[in-house]
Amino acid sequence: MTENTEATGGPERRVRVVLVDDHRMFRTGVQAEIGRTEETGVEVVGEAADADQAVTVITATRPEVVLLDVHLPGGGGVEVLRRCAPLMGAVENPVRFLALSVSDAAEDVIGVIRGGARGYVTKTITGTDLVDSVFRVQEGDAVFSPRLAGFVLDAFASTDAPPVDEDLDRLTQREREVLRLIARGYAYKEIAKQLFISVKTVESHVSAVLRKLQLSNRHELTRWATARRLV
Amino acid sequence: MPAATTRAASSLAADPEEPPVRKLYRSADGRLLGGVARGLAGHLGLPVAWVRFLFLGLFFTDGLGAVLYAVFWIVVPLGVGGVDAPRSVFEVSADGRRKLRKPDKGQFVALIALLVGAAVFVANVDMGSEADRYIWPTLLIGAGSVLVWRQADNARRARWMEVGRHRKLLHLARGLAGVALVGLGLAVFLVVRGSAAQLGNVLTAAIAVLTGIALLAGPYLVRMTQDLSEERLMRIRAQERAEVAAHVHDSVLHTLTLIQRNADEAGEVRRLARAQERELRNWLYNPEGTGKDEDDEPETLAEAVKRAAAEVEDKHGVPLEVVVVGDCPLDEKLSAQMQAAREAMVNAAKYGGEGGAVQVFAEVEGRTVFVSVRDRGPGFDLDEVPGDRMGVRESIIGRMQRNGGTARLRSVPGGGTEVELEMERASE
């Protein structure tokens, strides 16, 4: 994401990645940008162009992180997530998904996050930020782009109906503050400084929001965006 | 197989010579009644007269031909195809002048001939005096419903070809005649029944009326629902495609041309590409915003923020990433805030654009509207800005204060500048 300073890390950090995108040009571009293993520590072990292929490749290569396009032939990213659910939940070497899409539509974004993706970044992201996001996801952390933070704030703000589960259907004051700063374009480090907390605490807040987003009972969560006129 | 080309087919742009799948259709062209015989003849590759005579022959075996014909009429959809008959008995005009032929005349003649034939047939066959009194009403009802069935076909056919004014009148007349015949038949039925047996009159009447309605409405309902769903689907698809095509043509191609022409000017290319991306994105992911004209004044906060950001982006060539949470209608105070925000965006783009995208965040929370504009440039100290530079002090801070809001300028840890604008919405 916007965390430039911490960046790529040395050769001691390694992550195995599968690229899922139906545009060959885009896969080639991402591969060229992040796939220089010696510099970035990212090793692209497989590519797939549609949902079926993706499931096959992911099952065969067992990568640590999958960069997943939202729009795919054969059911889209959500379908891949659904069929890979056992791999995501595995105790040993779980496969983690990072949604990477050109789409701005809130339904798409929320759809893949609810499907189990650990984060969402847009395709305008720079190579360094993408590498950083991949490592963050590998470590089990959540990755929110400013836009996703905006969507989430909006989703949890519209509490017309009484929440089904108080713990899940509300964001704490602190979580809201963190999200708001992400939406304003702050990096984790900057947020930590701003709120006088540690980066680890910021990360745990973001992870908590992601969990609430994935588990929340709010039925309207995927529908809210269309009802409200968002970016 | 005889030449399968028909006028209807050639006017439909479909290739009628060698259809890939041979499916049975009733012929819409040159038919006498329902086009069953023509369609069947075309399908089987027989002269149409043979099929017609077969039906006629079958008719005399207890009316089996009529029943068969009726079943075909109801079940088989009307289509193109069939055969060009070697001139039918009822049509006088020469083959070379087919355009002058009026199929309806032939059909009416056929109908009358059929009725006369049926009458003669009925008169000749003695079915006993009891059955006799049912035959005429039954025939009337049959004739009426045939007319109405025929009408249902025409409703379908009317979409293929333009229907002239007089033809519309003809259709109306035919429909009315069908209804009248059915009504008359039912009435006679009732009178005959009524004089014969008083008992069960009500029951008979009810059944008769229901049957009549079913006969009248049946063909329309069946065919209309079939046609409508099919047509609606086609129309939606066509419309969608047309819309996409129009959009792609109009703006994307235009932009691509401009980019080719300005290939040497990196800044201009970037600006064009970004403007196009924004427009396409808005169109793809924000459908309700598409109808809006660029020149319209924005009515809500979200719109205003996005508009201002787009303008600054175009003018200064620096990307602005906009995130809006919530939305509310614009009032006077918020308009002032928008102007201040716009000024802040311009400043950020001008002085902080090298550090990457300018981040614009707007949030409506209750009655408070918060806007932040942040860049990753070198940052600056307000106290060091000379007093004669009014941009920040007047356009941003002053404007916010005059309208009852607050503005805050600060350097962000890690570099860059952030402008925070806060305003209470006017009470309604």
Side-chain angles (χ1 to χ4, degrees), chain B residues 49-389:
Chain B
W50 292 18
V51 184
R52 283 195 177 127
F53 274 119
L54 188 71
F55 271 116
L56 210 62
L58 282 173
F59 181 73
F60 285 102
T61 58
D62 285 338
L64 179 65
V67 174
L68 216 61
Y69 195 95
V71 168
F72 269 117
W73 197 345
I74 294 168
V75 172
V76 179
L78 187 65
V80 292
V83 291
D84 266 348
R87 244 196 292 154
S88 86
V89 192
F90 307 103
E91 280 156 284
V92 209
S93 49
D95 263 355
R97 296 168 60 202
R98 295 176 72 91
K99 296 226 160 172
L100 290 176
R101 188 157 72 172
K102 282 188 175 167
D104 283 310
K105 205 164 96 190
Q107 284 151 15
F108 263 118
V109 175
L111 192 66
I112 289 161
L114 208 69
L115 284 175
V116 171
V120 170
F121 167 72
V122 165
N124 284 351
V125 180
D126 186 24
M127 295 175 114
S129 53
E130 264 304 306
D132 230 17
R133 53 166 67 125
Y134 295 110
I135 285 172
W136 276 109
T138 310
L139 272 179
L140 282 173
I141 293 170
S145 42
V146 161
L147 272 178
V148 174
W149 268 105
R150 188 57 228 268
Q151 191 80 341
D153 285 348
N154 279 327
R156 183 184 183 128
R157 202 182 170 198
R159 284 197 308 273
W160 295 356
M161 296 167 215
E162 242 184 312
V163 179
R165 206 185 179 80
H166 68 285
R167 291 201 59 142
K168 260 184 205 161
L169 274 177
L170 194 68
H171 288 164
L172 191 69
R174 196 150 52 179
L176 285 177
V179 174
L181 276 174
V182 172
L184 190 68
L186 289 174
V188 173
F189 216 142
L190 277 182
V191 168
V192 172
R193 277 296 293 171
S195 61
Q198 297 294 330
L199 215 72
N201 246 1
V202 182
L203 191 71
T204 315
I207 292 172
V209 169
L210 283 178
T211 314
I213 290 172
L215 278 174
L216 285 175
Y220 274 118
L221 287 179
V222 171
R223 225 147 266 166
M224 288 295 227
T225 43
Q226 278 176 359
D227 288 3
L228 272 180
S229 57
E230 188 184 329
E231 198 190 318
R232 196 184 300 133
L233 202 72
M234 302 278 272
R235 205 170 41 221
I236 288 170
R237 280 207 196 119
Q239 230 165 29
E240 232 163 54
R241 208 172 301 139
E243 217 173 304
V244 171
H247 194 85
V248 168
H249 286 162
D250 283 1
S251 49
V252 178
L253 286 184
H254 186 67
T255 307
L256 287 176
T257 312
L258 283 175
I259 284 179
Q260 283 175 38
R261 224 173 262 166
N262 296 304
D264 299 333
E265 297 168 48
E268 178 67 4
V269 168
R270 216 173 296 139
R271 190 190 70 76
L272 283 168
R274 206 173 290 125
Q276 185 57 60
E277 184 201 338
R278 193 173 51 236
E279 196 189 316
L280 202 57
R281 212 171 258 290
N282 193 49
W283 188 75
L284 280 175
Y285 302 123
N286 204 16
E288 61 279 303
T290 45
K292 265 206 140 331
D293 214 332
E294 278 282 304
D295 302 330
D296 287 348
E297 277 297 302
E299 281 161 17
T300 68
L301 180 88
E303 256 175 64
V305 172
K306 277 181 253 174
R307 180 79 56 88
E311 282 166 12
V312 173
E313 193 172 277
D314 277 354
K315 201 167 168 203
H316 297 277
V318 172
L320 275 83
E321 195 174 336
V322 183
V323 176
V324 183
V325 175
D327 201 359
C328 68
L330 271 187
D331 57 39
E332 216 169 286
K333 295 169 86 177
L334 294 187
S335 296
Q337 189 185 18
M338 280 306 104
Q339 282 167 345
R342 199 199 142 94
E343 195 66 32
M345 290 182 214
V346 171
N347 278 343
K350 263 197 208 159
Y351 304 115
E354 297 84 41
V358 172
Q359 225 87 36
V360 179
F361 172 75
E363 184 179 24
V364 181
E365 201 183 23
R367 306 216 57 79
T368 313
V369 176
F370 174 85
V371 179
S372 97
V373 178
R374 142 180 199 153
D375 65 65
R376 291 176 171 278
F380 72 98
D381 189 352
L382 186 61
D383 299 329
E384 283 173 18
V385 175
D388 58 330
R389 295 282 300 273

Side-chain angles (χ1 to χ4, degrees), chain A residues 36-137:
Chain A
R36 299 181 308 273
T37 318
E38 291 312 309
E39 291 170 48
T40 59
V42 174
E43 189 189 347
V44 178
V45 294
E47 290 185 17
D50 61 42
D52 288 333
Q53 217 181 329
V55 176
T56 317
V57 171
I58 292 165
T59 316
T61 56
R62 283 304 290 263
E64 286 152 292
V65 176
V66 177
L67 282 177
L68 182 68
D69 190 12
V70 175
H71 292 287
L72 279 180
V78 176
E79 175 69 12
V80 178
L81 287 164
R82 199 181 57 74
R83 282 159 64 183
C84 289
L87 297 177
M88 272 190 270
V91 186
E92 251 175 78
N93 308 323
V95 179
R96 294 196 165 110
F97 289 81
L98 176 60
L100 174 62
S101 174
V102 76
S103 167
D104 261 331
E107 310 94 280
D108 290 343
V109 180
I110 297 295
V112 283
I113 295 294
R114 302 259 301 168
R118 304 288 304 169
Y120 171 89
V121 290
T122 45
K123 285 183 176 173
T124 50
I125 193 170
T126 64
T128 354
D129 288 346
L130 184 57
V131 170
D132 194 51
S133 303
V134 167
F135 278 110
R136 182 156 286 160
V137 168

